[in-house]
């Protein structure tokens, strides 16, 4: 009898959680009715000056500003390279294929790690039933109920999953290699 009561209580709790809907998918989460990207990267040798110098080299980044252990910049029209992540054109929704994503990024640096947060994410592109020519908030497409839960059709590997991979790939620090000059060939 206790076992049956426990199972019923568990099922009731699970259905309550499912009824509430998702508030996170991968590195995307809802924060104050806005869909944001937030990820912590580990790197023992990272400094804010190294990160600032790195972000200044990226073509889709502008207005890089470093103050202490915080870096801010604008993300401009980032494009998802879905083929790089082994997705076919048929399996990839048109908004991911044609979309250009922009936002405002903040990077905090602490003890061998750094956290990238992208807010105010907007997009342009073709969503299938609508061509988005003016930048519109991603939250209005990927969330429901005024940004309180995520839309289930966006919580898939070929939607927010691909966008998550693209943001992670583009915003992760990669050590810049210096060109070696070989005097022998001269």
């Amino acid at each position: 009898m206790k076992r049956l009561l426990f199972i019923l209580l568990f099922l009731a709790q699970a259905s309550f959680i499912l009824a509430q809907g998702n508030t996170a998918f991968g590195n995307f989460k809802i924060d104050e009715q806005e869909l944001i990207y937030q990820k912590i990267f580990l790197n023992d040798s990272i400094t804010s000056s190294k990160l600032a110098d790195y972000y200044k080299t990226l073509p889709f980044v502008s207005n890089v500003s470093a103050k202490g252990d915080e870096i801010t910049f604008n993300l401009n029209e980032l494009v998802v390279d879905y083929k790089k992540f082994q997705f076919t054109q048929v399996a990839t929704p048109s908004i991911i294929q044609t979309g250009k994503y922009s936002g405002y990024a903040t990077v905090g640096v602490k003890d061998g790690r750094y956290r990238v947060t992208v807010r105010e994410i907007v997009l342009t592109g073709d969503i299938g039933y609508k061509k988005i020519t003016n930048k519109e908030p991603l939250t209005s497409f990927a969330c429901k109920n005024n940004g309180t839960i995520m839309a289930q059709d966006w919580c898939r590997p070929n939607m927010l999953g691909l966008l998550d991979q693209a943001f992670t790939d583009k915003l992760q620090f990669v050590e810049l290699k210096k060109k070696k000059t070989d005097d022998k060939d001269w």
Side-chain angles (χ1 to χ4, degrees):
M1 186 66 167
K2 285 183 182 180
R3 189 177 220 172
L4 180 62
L5 183 60
F6 176 75
I7 290 172
L8 289 173
L9 183 62
F10 175 77
L11 290 174
Q13 188 176 22
S15 65
F16 176 73
I17 290 170
L18 289 174
Q20 286 182 337
N22 288 347
T23 58
F25 184 86
N27 295 307
F28 283 95
K29 66 181 184 178
I30 296 175
D31 184 42
E32 297 181 11
Q33 297 182 312
E34 177 187 17
L35 187 65
I36 66 167
Y37 168 87
Q38 189 171 64
K39 180 167 175 96
I40 297 173
F41 296 96
L42 302 176
N43 187 321
D44 291 334
S45 64
I46 202 66
T47 64
S48 58
S49 62
K50 271 186 185 179
L51 271 174
D53 291 343
Y54 172 70
Y55 288 129
K56 286 177 185 176
T57 65
L58 300 178
F60 52 86
V61 170
S62 65
N63 301 327
V64 177
S65 173
K67 293 177 186 165
D69 289 338
E70 184 176 271
I71 303 158
T72 59
F73 58 87
N74 293 329
L75 195 62
N76 303 312
E77 298 189 345
L78 182 128
V79 176
V80 177
D81 184 3
Y82 62 92
K83 291 178 183 174
K84 178 179 183 178
F85 302 115
Q86 308 297 315
F87 280 83
T88 63
Q89 183 176 8
V90 173
T92 306
S94 61
I95 191 58
I96 298 298
Q97 292 180 37
T98 63
K100 293 182 181 180
Y101 301 86
S102 302
Y104 181 74
T106 306
V107 182
V109 181
K110 275 188 186 178
D111 304 325
R113 62 187 190 267
Y114 61 101
R115 181 177 67 184
V116 177
T117 305
V118 182
R119 295 185 174 279
E120 301 172 19
I121 303 170
V122 293
L123 66 117
T124 57
D126 184 358
I127 200 158
Y129 60 88
K130 175 183 178 183
K131 288 195 186 290
I132 306 164
T133 55
N134 296 325
K135 292 181 179 180
E136 293 189 28
L138 177 62
T139 303
S140 63
F141 294 100
C143 295
K144 299 189 303 187
N145 298 344
N146 292 326
T148 57
I149 61 171
M150 293 180 150
Q152 290 303 308
D153 57 334
W154 278 77
C155 294
R156 297 184 311 196
N158 64 345
M159 290 289 280
L160 281 179
L162 263 172
L163 193 57
D164 185 352
Q165 286 180 310
F167 275 42
T168 299
D169 183 56
K170 301 284 188 177
L171 298 174
Q172 184 173 10
F173 174 74
V174 177
E175 194 75 42
L176 298 173
K177 295 183 180 187
K178 295 179 182 175
K179 291 184 179 179
K180 290 183 179 179
T181 56
D182 193 1
D183 292 336
K184 296 177 198 174
D185 292 341
W186 183 248

